[in-house]
Amino acid sequence: MTTTSAFDEIRALDAEHVMGTYARAPVAFVRGEGTRLFDSEGRAYLDFLSGLAVTSLGHAHPAVAEALADQARTLLHVSNLYYNDLQPRLAARLDVLVGGGGRVFFANSGAEANECAIKLARRHGQRNGGPERYHVVSAYGSFHGRTLTTLAATGQTQKQEPFQPLPPGFRHVPFGDVGALSGAIDERVCAVLLEPLQGEGGVVPAPPGYLEEVRRLCDEREALLVLDEVQTGLGRTGRWFGFQHSGIRPDVVTMAKALGNGVPIGACWARAEVSAALAPGEHATTFGGQPLAARAALATLDVMESEDVPGRAARAGERLARSLEALPEVVSVRGAGLLLAAELVDGLDARAVAGACLEAGLVVNALTPSALRLAPPLLVTDEEIDEAVAALAPVLVREG
Ligand code: F0G
């Protein structure tokens, strides 16, 4: 008689009932604690992906868990037809971190935060520049989400191809190319939408001085500068927001992933004057900014501030980058803070390496065919970094 593992049962149930939109790795996680994950067979893993840059405080953080349990006993949800006590407090906290002078709309994901930003930019453009000013310029290699509109903004044709026709009004330019951007911003453009450091598209930082030039062009042409900080925001790059490595101030900033440390919540911040372009009734969501998600985010921000997670990400990122660079199979390391890509030598297949890492108890992601993405929790310790690199090193030798 063959024995069926807990994982086999999960995989069979998934195959029968869950839409096949994911090419999943052969493991089911059932529990987490800090930087550790545990699978259905009781094996432990070091999580150097954080659910794709989500669980910045690690898994099951006691302060977040306690806040969630308390809020679940108090009030999970009320409609946005009414006030709740937590949403404005969270908005005020985020406004301080972004730099002040703005208002916030709450959503449930990164894509939805970007939808808000795009709708806001269109209303702002049309109110100030007439009905034709609704076009958005974004960058090739960008990633802004999978809804039809955020997919239209995403500068990756192979992801767009199966879903044509996409909503009109999006144009793309090479990331970092000021001349191309200048050529693309005409009087029909309401906004430029960029990640300060492209994440999913390859962990590509903006070239020095680029955002300053983009800001200047946007001011000159009356286009809004919208920054997608869904992945870079809230400490991951070593500052609260990726744009804070530059000297600029954006008009709109979106965030999500790390905001609830795993509880789904997104936010779109906009300068107060810009935010007024969306009139009451023009944008809404059932769940956005509900008490449970807002409470999770408030608890997350409390810990992020008391632990100085941007500073920790900067320091830990240095250590991780230096350790990775020392591996002979790593050609180069790029990124900022704890959002890093390790480019592998010719002949190493990142997907095979990520799979072998998983078997060795280390969770990382194949970012491109030749690069790994590493995004551990921002509270990761030096010992955990050393342990992860020690687990990666023999995998690289074996796969080489
Ligand atoms: N914007 C950026 C910069 C992102 O990295 C993502 C997701 C999104 C928007 C969409 O957010 O999934 O909450 O709707 N990035 C994941 C990744 C998929 O692999 O980096 P969502």
Side-chain angles (χ1 to χ4, degrees), residues 52 109-111 114 143-145 195 200 228 230-231 257 373:
L52 289 168
S109 66
N114 286 335
F143 188 87
H144 300 295
E195 295 158 89
E200 193 267 359
D228 178 345
V230 166
Q231 184 152 180
K257 289 182 181 284
R373 173 165 39 171

Side-chain angles (χ1 to χ4, degrees), residues 189-272:
V189 168
C190 66
V192 174
L193 167 63
L194 295 170
E195 295 158 89
L197 180 164
Q198 290 190 335
E200 193 267 359
V203 181
V204 184
Y210 178 60
L211 289 179
E212 284 82 353
E213 284 298 304
V214 177
R215 178 71 272 181
R216 191 185 57 74
L217 281 173
C218 286
D219 288 342
E220 185 185 289
R221 316 276 172 89
E222 292 180 35
L224 295 178
L225 175 49
V226 180
L227 292 182
D228 178 345
E229 296 253 15
V230 166
Q231 184 152 180
T232 49
L234 300 160
R236 179 143 300 271
T237 69
R239 300 275 165 91
W240 282 108
F241 291 94
F243 76 83
Q244 290 164 346
H245 293 274
S246 74
I248 63 134
R249 297 226 33 210
D251 300 302
V252 180
V253 178
T254 59
M255 63 198 90
K257 289 182 181 284
L259 183 52
N261 203 49
V263 173
I265 178 168
C268 175
W269 174 96
R271 281 198 296 114

Side-chain angles (χ1 to χ4, degrees), residues 3-80:
T3 54
T4 313
S5 69
F7 174 67
D8 291 334
E9 279 179 32
I10 294 163
R11 174 150 62 181
L13 206 59
D14 189 285
E16 194 175 345
H17 299 288
V18 178
M19 280 199 201
T21 64
Y22 299 103
R24 297 191 207 272
V27 56
F29 294 116
V30 297
R31 189 167 68 81
E33 193 182 332
T35 308
R36 306 277 162 182
L37 277 170
F38 300 88
D39 73 9
S40 53
E41 319 307 301
R43 281 196 63 200
Y45 299 76
L46 262 180
D47 183 4
F48 266 52
L49 195 55
S50 312
L52 289 168
V54 169
T55 49
S56 284
L57 305 181
H59 299 286
H61 192 284
V64 180
E66 200 42 60
L68 280 169
D70 181 61
Q71 194 61 41
R73 287 188 293 263
T74 306
L75 183 67
L76 284 179
H77 178 84
V78 284
S79 162
N80 279 313

